[in-house]
Amino acid sequence: MSQTLVQHATVKSRINAILRATSGNFLEQFDFFLFGFYASAIGNAFFPSDNETASLLNTFGVFWLGALMRPVGAIVLGAYIDRIGRRQGLIITLSIMAVGTVIIAFCPSYATIGIAAPIIVLAGRLLQGFSAGVEVGGVSVYLAEIASPGNRGFYTSFQSSSQQVAIFVAATVGYLLNESMPLEAVASWGWRIPFFLGCLIIPLIFFLRRTLEETPEFLAMKKHPTAREVFASALVHWRTVALGMMMAILTTTTFYFVTVYTPTFGKTVLKLSTQDALLVTLLVAVTNFIWNPIGGAVSDRIGRKPVLLAIAGLALMTAYPALSWLVSTPSFGKLLAVAMMFSFYFGTYSGTMLGALVEIVPAHVRTTCFSLAFAFAAALFGTFTPLVATWLIERTNDKASPGFWLMFAAALGIIAALTIYRGPPKPSRAVKPSLRKSPESTLDVQAASRYT
């Protein structure tokens, strides 16, 4: 009986730790989704133009520029977390994210303060991008280090699942807003309401994060690297970071396409109603939440490699044909079907990829290397998706052309998986031998090799 109680208490403790660790993901993704969904309204408020496409490109451009701060945040904040600890680092990232959110929510429009408006919004996005650069990595590493044996993929998958809760809540709020207010009012000022709600939950998330305990694995480390040692080790393992980025690209591109861009795609390209686009996104958030832990759990059982290759292969073969079928005669049912397909790809792949990425980076600089790989994937590819999709459609006059972007991401994922699981990437020859021989700077490939 006592053993059963202890096991029950342990499970409860781990669930509470997962909820507290992933709470910051909610704020990040809540705001990111709103920025994408209300891109048209934000464009009119801060980047007014007579051309709707130009206004959208400006808005998505700022969205992408903020994401370019992710690698900076990954290296700076990642080094801080690897040196100070997982718990304290996650509190710092939340603080920076909160400031960026408040700035965007309360910034006056272009009509009120002129050119200062887009500059202020850009500053808020840069702060959000800086924080987001390590948020995913910090949370994923924390979950991996508290995972029970043989369940690392399942535990780390909740990093991504927590973001889907934010998408669901944001889509629900947006749906209710559009049902209860005239469209003109939503476009004029009503779009700010969800952002204000995001600001209101910041104190609760701070409370949850402050109750986190440090991970046993970090506490067990005999030596925590200095910032200089972290930077040097990240340079040593640049090939691992590059391969990790390639592996993560399919996750980031499909996610931003099916959540952030799909509402705009549905409204401006397919000419469906706002309610239809919101409802599809809401349902996608639910299925994303389900597929992530399933993908992680399956990869714990059969290995990371077969899941990664299977999903990337399917995406490569079906992305463009599926979008061509959708745009031929657009409808709510078709949009939902295609979104469900991409949701399956994203969730299953992401739930597997997060565990794989944690396993291939060095343990003593795990947060920095993980965050760098994911930050480059998100900055250069994922958050670039709404912008490149809009540009591709404008340049090619082919509404299905974003499918080529997703196919490119899938191809990179296949190459990365085949390379990673063929053998460990070697450090750069330019690195000093003393760094290469350090016992703490060796790749954590032993864990990864179990999944080949």
Side-chain angles (χ1 to χ4, degrees):
M1 179 66 71
S2 60
Q3 185 177 0
T4 302
L5 291 175
V6 170
Q7 291 176 344
H8 177 74
T10 301
V11 171
K12 184 177 180 181
S13 175
R14 291 179 188 274
I15 293 175
N16 287 336
I18 290 173
L19 292 175
R20 292 194 295 268
T22 57
S23 60
N25 278 330
F26 181 94
L27 179 63
E28 174 197 341
Q29 208 52 58
F30 185 82
D31 193 67
F32 271 42
F33 170 77
L34 291 176
F35 201 95
F37 180 74
Y38 289 110
S40 298
I42 291 174
N44 292 331
F46 301 114
F47 312 98
S49 172
D50 293 334
N51 186 302
E52 182 183 13
T53 300
S55 182
L56 269 179
L57 286 172
N58 286 332
T59 304
F60 285 136
V62 169
F63 184 81
W64 181 54
L65 286 174
L68 291 181
M69 285 296 290
R70 281 177 176 252
V72 180
I75 193 68
V76 175
L77 296 177
Y80 178 82
I81 292 177
D82 280 328
R83 181 171 58 89
I84 299 299
R86 317 307 190 201
R87 174 188 176 276
Q88 186 63 31
L90 290 177
I91 294 174
I92 295 297
T93 62
L94 176 60
S95 302
I96 299 172
M97 177 64 68
V99 172
T101 299
V102 171
I103 287 175
I104 294 175
F106 289 92
C107 179
S109 67
Y110 186 94
T112 303
I113 60 174
I115 192 63
I119 294 175
I120 292 173
V121 169
L122 177 60
R125 284 289 302 137
L126 293 177
L127 284 173
Q128 288 182 326
F130 182 73
S131 170
V134 81
E135 176 71 19
V136 171
V139 172
S140 298
V141 168
Y142 186 93
L143 295 176
E145 292 183 355
I146 67 169
S148 56
N151 292 302
R152 177 175 280 177
F154 179 71
Y155 272 71
T156 54
S157 70
F158 282 99
Q159 182 282 130
S160 184
S161 285
S162 66
Q163 295 181 335
Q164 313 316 311
V165 177
I167 300 297
F168 180 84
V169 173
T172 302
V173 171
Y175 186 85
L176 295 175
L177 198 65
N178 280 274
E179 286 291 317
S180 59
M181 294 179 62
L183 293 180
E184 296 77 13
V186 173
S188 176
W189 59 271
W191 63 269
R192 291 183 183 268
I193 295 176
F195 284 92
F196 294 151
L197 293 177
C199 294
L200 292 177
I201 66 174
I202 289 175
L204 173 61
I205 298 175
F206 264 111
F207 171 77
L208 293 173
R209 276 277 168 95
R210 287 180 64 85
T211 59
L212 275 175
E213 296 180 359
E214 189 54 80
T215 68
E217 188 169 337
F218 181 83
L219 294 174
M221 289 183 184
K222 296 180 179 180
K223 181 181 181 297
H224 298 138
T226 64
R228 177 175 294 183
E229 290 171 340
V230 171
F231 298 150
S233 186
L235 180 61
V236 170
H237 298 287
W238 67 268
R239 291 180 182 174
T240 304
V241 171
L243 286 171
M245 177 196 73
M246 291 172 62
M247 184 170 61
I249 286 171
L250 184 56
T251 289
T252 60
T253 52
T254 52
F255 175 75
Y256 282 98
F257 182 85
V258 81
T259 57
V260 174
Y261 181 66
T262 290
T264 300
F265 183 69
K267 290 183 296 181
T268 62
V269 178
L270 303 181
K271 305 302 180 183
L272 300 177
S273 69
T274 300
Q275 287 82 351
D276 282 349
L278 265 174
L279 185 56
V280 168
T281 307
L282 192 152
L283 294 173
V284 162
V286 174
T287 53
N288 284 351
F289 180 87
I290 295 170
W291 287 120
N292 263 281
I294 290 177
V298 170
S299 69
D300 283 333
R301 301 298 177 267
I302 69 172
R304 316 288 186 223
K305 182 180 179 180
V307 180
L308 294 173
L309 289 178
I311 297 300
L314 286 171
L316 180 64
M317 293 185 295
T318 62
Y320 183 79
L323 288 178
S324 296
W325 174 73
L326 168 62
V327 302
S328 61
T329 51
S331 67
F332 170 79
K334 281 190 170 184
L335 178 60
L336 180 61
V338 172
M340 289 295 104
M341 182 189 76
F342 285 128
S343 173
F344 168 70
Y345 293 166
F346 160 73
T348 309
Y349 188 90
S350 177
T352 303
M353 183 279 300
L354 292 170
L357 188 52
V358 168
E359 290 165 349
I360 68 170
V361 295
H364 70 298
V365 286
R366 185 172 280 158
T367 304
T368 303
C369 288
F370 184 110
S371 298
L372 269 175
F374 198 92
F376 277 120
L380 301 180
F381 297 89
T383 51
F384 191 45
T385 296
L387 180 64
V388 75
T390 303
W391 181 83
L392 281 171
I393 293 172
E394 179 73 9
R395 294 289 296 179
T396 66
N397 201 31
D398 180 1
K399 296 178 181 179
S401 58
F404 294 125
W405 180 245
L406 300 177
M407 291 170 64
F408 173 65
L412 292 179
I414 292 172
I415 294 171
L418 291 174
T419 305
I420 288 169
Y421 291 101
R422 183 178 59 186
K426 298 177 181 179
S428 170
R429 294 181 180 178
V431 179
K432 295 180 180 179
S434 58
L435 284 174
R436 205 180 298 133
K437 292 180 181 179
S438 172
E440 286 191 330
S441 65
T442 56
L443 270 174
D444 210 2
V445 190
Q446 292 81 0
S449 64
R450 298 197 303 268
Y451 303 101
T452 56

